[in-house]
Amino acid sequence: RIVGLEDRDAAEALTGWRVMLPEQQLPKPGRDEWYVKDLMGLRVLVGDREIGRVAEVHQAGPTDILEITTPGEAQFVPLLRQWLEEVDLAAGELRLKEGALEP
């Protein structure tokens, strides 16, 4: 809810606007949830091998897509549990499961 927006018509009038909040007002993410800003720049590892860094998180319908900068090219991986082993924000790492980058 936003103060001053009492109904759907009032909310529709703001279509295309950005809603911004101070970071301290954001709710804490739940288990296996992260804010996009927290994923940006994380080292990406497969096993013990660093393959690149998170360059962007693309919102593509129900599944976000990680864009990973790797030497020579960008790789794209759906942000799905089947490919994601672990996100360790304290260590600055995102670990993918073996095979996540296979065609």
Side-chain angles (χ1 to χ4, degrees), residues 37-84:
K37 69 171 188 62
D38 295 331
L39 299 177
M40 301 300 293
L42 291 181
R43 290 186 315 276
V44 179
L45 296 100
V46 175
D48 291 330
R49 182 174 44 103
E50 184 174 333
I51 59 154
R53 291 190 176 265
V54 176
E56 189 65 61
V57 179
H58 300 278
Q59 296 177 345
T63 304
D64 290 341
I65 307 292
L66 293 173
E67 180 178 342
I68 303 164
T69 55
T70 61
E73 64 183 351
Q75 297 277 334
F76 297 89
V77 177
L79 187 54
L80 296 171
R81 178 54 58 195
Q82 75 186 68
W83 301 121
L84 186 64

Side-chain angles (χ1 to χ4, degrees), residues 24-37:
Q24 53 273 31
Q25 288 185 357
L26 295 173
K28 296 279 185 218
R31 185 175 190 272
D32 291 335
E33 294 181 334
W34 309 275
Y35 285 109
V36 168
K37 69 171 188 62

